[in-house]
Amino acid sequence: MHRITSVPEEIDTEGVTLLEQPEAPVLFLTSATTDISTLASTLDQEGYKGWENKIRAVPLSALDHPAQIDHYLDKTAKSANLIIVRLLGGKGHWNYGIEKLQLWQEESKRHHLIIIAGTVDQEIELNMLGSVDIEVTNILDELLR
């Protein structure tokens, strides 16, 4: 199985586990761990071998605490060009993370953010929060569902 390094190392700081993950141009943060499994099996296929070390994935459950989100953005996301978030639940489910990612996106013209709803009832609210054309976001949304 292709290793996309979802959670390679954890550091415990006063009861909060901080993730250490190698940098990559594309980061995929998702509420659905099956998304990570699907991505890993896709990258195992012959036509996707060039994606090794270009994409990292992490479950949002590993980024519950504001300190975890701040640390991840400071360490792993600093060199990323694209961050894709698939969120099961409304904006309030991961509000701090979304706000911090929007600030990350505003830092550089090379930063692109896609926020995808995990369910149809949240797609209007969430899909419009990113910086990528809404048509692209909607296509990714459909593909992942």
Side-chain angles (χ1 to χ4, degrees):
M1 176 185 274
H2 178 80
R3 295 206 162 248
I4 55 174
T5 318
S6 60
V7 183
E9 183 180 348
E10 298 178 352
I11 302 168
D12 190 359
T13 305
E14 298 179 27
V16 176
T17 302
L18 303 177
L19 295 180
E20 292 289 327
Q21 188 176 48
E23 297 173 5
V26 178
L27 302 178
F28 181 44
L29 316 176
T30 180
S31 295
T33 55
T34 54
D35 289 345
I36 296 172
S37 300
T38 301
L39 178 61
S41 65
T42 299
L43 294 176
D44 268 346
Q45 297 176 23
E46 191 60 39
Y48 299 97
K49 295 298 182 191
W51 275 89
E52 294 167 353
N53 297 317
K54 292 183 182 176
I55 188 167
R56 303 283 183 238
V58 68
L60 284 177
S61 61
L63 299 172
D64 283 337
H65 192 278
Q68 293 170 314
I69 294 166
D70 291 341
H71 180 78
Y72 188 79
L73 290 176
D74 184 49
K75 299 295 182 183
T76 302
K78 66 182 176 186
S79 68
N81 298 322
L82 172 64
I83 298 179
I84 303 166
V85 178
R86 183 163 186 237
L87 184 61
L88 300 175
K91 181 180 176 185
H93 177 73
W94 204 60
N95 196 46
Y96 182 80
I98 290 171
E99 288 175 7
K100 294 301 279 190
L101 285 172
Q102 288 175 320
L103 291 173
W104 167 87
Q105 185 275 314
E106 293 171 2
E107 289 175 1
S108 172
K109 291 183 186 223
R110 71 173 183 81
H111 289 173
H112 302 284
L113 176 62
I114 297 174
I115 300 176
I116 301 171
T119 59
V120 175
D121 59 321
Q122 297 295 325
E123 71 182 10
I124 293 172
E125 175 190 10
L126 294 175
N127 291 10
M128 297 180 68
L129 295 176
S131 63
V132 174
D133 186 276
I134 191 68
E135 290 181 24
V136 173
T137 302
N138 288 339
I139 290 168
L140 285 173
D141 186 16
E142 279 186 50
L143 286 172
L144 288 169
R145 260 194 241 130

